Amino acid sequence: MTEIYPFIMTLLSALVFPGLLFTIALALFTEWYIRKAVAHMQSRMGPTYVGPIGLLQPLADLLKLLSVKEEMKQKYSMTWLAKAFGVIGIGAMIACLFLLPLSPVRFIGDYDFLIFIYLFGVWVPISIIAMALSIPNPFAHLGVSRLLTFIIVTEPAYFAGLLVPVTFASIKAEPVYSIYTTSIKALSLWSNPYYIPFMIIALIAVIASIQAKAMLNPFNIPEAEQELIAGFATEFSGPILAIFNLLHDIDIAISALFVTYVFLGGPSPFNHLSVPGVLLLIIKYIAVVTIISVIRSSFGRYRIDQAIHVLTKYSLVLALIAVIAANIIVYVFH
Amino acid sequence: MIYEYDPIQLTIILSGLMGLVAMVLYIIVKAIEPKYPTRSGDAIEPYIGGEHPSILSRPFVPEANLYWSFIKRNFAKAYGFLKEKMHTGRFSDWVNYMTMWMALLFLISLIVIIVLITGGV
């Protein structure tokens, strides 16, 4: 009985908390929050009809697309491939959650940050691109080419930015270069005066790159509806569109959650299982998502060359400077 | 519960979990998606903004140009900068540049030799 217990716990973690069920709930809540916050800033009402203050609107949209709307089968499409890659992308993001202290079952080890890059930085873009190319269309191809141009700048910036606290946290700690170690020690890094400037620079770089990774304003260029119809999502309909929307929402939620843990320490200085800890975690998460919403509602869309220029300047270069300086500090002082 | 593994085991376990979650989600989607009868004969054309399908066979600018134009423009800028700095036409500038370059190579080789001798300690 005792041998089977870890398997059951892992299975429950993968499917319920913090796995599939919790992640979907978190992603839909995040979508509702961003929509409501942006609507408030633009003097609109946002979602109101389904559930209290429109809280269940994203769920209703998802269920409608999944279970009612017809899937249009285009002449050259492979719809099963689009769905398969969509669910693989979602699976990759959920597997990342086992690296965080949030999960009751934690898989940790030396250099697990690289596994995070493999799951989140490789599988997720590949699944979005493969989904789009499974249903070929000239607009989808243009969207994918814009997305690829973006990925060259945003992915290195996001992971280089996260590497700064990971590098600092690996000093005299086991396991090294681990998301878990960083999440535990993240808050104490802010008390060291040598680390603070680089942490701030890296945080700015990471938030700018999340904005572009999630394709929110001002970086919603790959799916710019006035230019490319819907970019790579042009031919998506019914369940495929539902899976894509879910993938997109989970992408935003997980990016923000990792910033909450790796930079802000999650619930620390409290525990996960205490009321102040849970409240603090929620407040930190909401703060990160609010910053994303404020940026989204304050800018219009850039042209692709302007966007790449802005991202290189405020995200990639800042992140690279911070990570190089962090390594020099660690090498010199320790 | 905390399980500590080496990176390769961890990659295999998390990839397995990724596959498991993907499979469960795929089964859920397959179970609840609406079953419409497949339309035969009238397959839907790709959406091309109301244009005639003949425009697809016309030559058009490849999407990869977006990527290459960005890369090429930036490398051209770097090349232009170096060209302006190096090829001023004055002999002294050339000597200066070559001396700096040789000094840099010498410094790097010196560091490498020292690291090799001391064993990287």
Side-chain angles (χ1 to χ4, degrees):
Chain A
M1 188 64 196
T2 47
E3 287 166 1
I4 210 163
Y5 181 69
F7 287 104
I8 294 173
M9 278 304 286
T10 310
L11 205 64
L12 277 178
S13 299
L15 299 180
V16 184
F17 181 84
L20 200 56
L21 208 62
F22 169 76
T23 313
I24 291 176
L26 179 73
L28 294 179
F29 168 76
T30 311
E31 188 201 328
W32 171 83
Y33 183 81
I34 293 179
R35 279 170 67 178
K36 202 76 180 170
V38 171
H40 186 73
M41 289 169 218
Q42 295 171 343
S43 299
R44 293 185 285 112
M45 285 174 77
T48 36
Y49 292 108
V50 191
I53 50 172
L55 199 58
L56 298 178
Q57 186 67 51
L59 180 67
D61 293 346
L62 183 77
L63 287 179
K64 181 188 74 180
L65 284 173
L66 260 183
S67 60
V68 181
K69 288 289 174 181
E70 186 181 356
E71 181 182 288
M72 305 303 275
K73 289 198 174 59
Q74 191 233 67
K75 212 171 173 181
Y76 307 107
S77 65
M78 275 171 85
T79 47
W80 69 268
L81 192 70
K83 281 180 213 158
F85 269 105
V87 295
I88 285 174
I90 293 173
M93 288 189 278
I94 289 173
C96 293
L97 291 173
F98 283 92
L99 302 171
L100 286 179
L102 176 73
S103 170
V105 179
R106 293 151 200 172
F107 293 115
I108 62 171
D110 286 339
Y111 303 102
D112 66 16
F113 185 70
L114 296 178
I115 299 164
F116 172 58
I117 296 180
Y118 157 71
L119 289 171
F120 198 51
V122 177
W123 273 111
V124 177
I126 282 183
S127 44
I128 294 177
I129 290 164
M131 268 185 100
L133 296 184
S134 307
I135 313 179
N137 180 291
F139 296 115
H141 284 196
L142 267 173
V144 166
S145 68
R146 289 180 174 199
L147 184 67
L148 277 172
T149 316
F150 251 43
I151 285 172
I152 295 163
V153 182
T154 55
E155 299 285 324
Y158 181 72
F159 293 111
L162 286 184
L163 195 56
V164 172
V166 172
T167 310
F168 286 142
S170 296
I171 302 165
K172 293 175 193 157
E174 288 285 327
V176 292
Y177 289 92
S178 158
I179 300 273
Y180 180 77
T181 321
T182 315
S183 309
I184 301 288
K185 287 178 71 178
L187 211 60
S188 64
L189 299 178
W190 290 94
S191 58
N192 187 326
Y194 293 113
Y195 297 168
I196 291 174
F198 304 107
M199 294 284 280
I200 291 172
I201 291 174
L203 188 58
I204 292 170
V206 165
I207 286 185
S209 67
I210 288 183
Q211 205 75 20
K213 257 168 75 69
M215 290 172 281
L216 297 171
N217 259 351
F219 303 111
N220 57 349
I221 300 161
E223 48 184 5
E225 61 264 26
Q226 289 85 354
E227 304 163 25
L228 296 181
I229 315 299
F232 51 78
T234 305
E235 294 276 1
F236 293 171
S237 58
I240 298 178
L241 186 58
I243 293 174
F244 174 72
N245 285 348
L246 193 60
L247 178 75
H248 188 221
D249 290 342
I250 295 180
D251 194 357
I252 300 173
I254 302 275
S255 306
L257 195 65
F258 269 83
V259 170
T260 313
Y261 269 94
V262 172
F263 275 97
L264 308 175
S268 55
F270 303 105
N271 287 326
H272 275 93
L273 293 175
S274 64
V275 176
V278 174
L279 282 178
L280 195 61
L281 179 62
I282 294 171
I283 289 169
K284 285 176 183 175
Y285 180 77
I286 296 270
V288 173
V289 179
T290 307
I291 292 172
I292 294 173
S293 314
V294 169
I295 298 174
R296 182 187 151 178
S297 60
S298 324
F299 288 92
R301 186 188 308 133
Y302 284 133
R303 273 197 330 262
I304 181 102
D305 55 330
Q306 291 172 327
I308 297 284
H309 182 74
V310 167
L311 278 175
T312 314
K313 201 167 163 187
Y314 294 107
S315 189
L316 185 62
V317 173
L318 284 187
L320 289 179
I321 288 174
V323 78
I324 291 168
N327 278 291
I328 291 173
I329 285 183
V330 169
Y331 190 75
V332 171
F333 290 105
H334 303 280
Chain B
M1 287 189 287
I2 298 180
Y3 299 104
E4 199 165 342
Y5 293 102
D6 69 50
I8 294 173
Q9 288 172 325
L10 204 56
T11 313
I12 294 168
I13 290 170
L14 290 181
S15 302
L17 283 170
M18 171 182 103
L20 174 82
V21 173
M23 208 167 65
V24 170
L25 193 58
Y26 193 80
I27 292 168
I28 293 172
V29 169
K30 274 285 162 195
I32 62 174
E33 72 177 4
K35 310 283 183 296
Y36 286 101
T38 47
R39 302 174 182 190
S40 56
D42 56 351
I44 300 162
E45 293 288 330
Y47 180 75
I48 43 174
E51 296 282 347
H52 193 267
S54 63
I55 62 152
L56 290 179
S57 55
R58 280 197 219 157
F60 60 92
V61 184
E63 294 92 0
N65 280 16
L66 185 62
Y67 169 73
W68 284 114
S69 64
F70 179 72
I71 298 288
K72 281 182 182 169
R73 195 199 300 166
N74 281 298
F75 275 97
K77 258 185 208 166
Y79 173 72
F81 175 77
L82 280 177
K83 199 178 70 178
E84 293 296 312
K85 289 282 167 198
M86 283 160 53
H87 296 274
T88 53
R90 280 195 295 272
F91 182 67
S92 58
D93 282 355
W94 183 83
V95 172
N96 257 346
Y97 171 76
M98 288 310 278
T99 321
M100 273 158 54
W101 179 234
M102 288 298 166
L104 183 70
L105 286 185
F106 179 70
L107 206 67
I108 291 171
S109 53
L110 207 64
I111 290 170
V112 169
I113 289 168
I114 291 171
V115 168
L116 282 180
I117 289 172
T118 55
V121 179

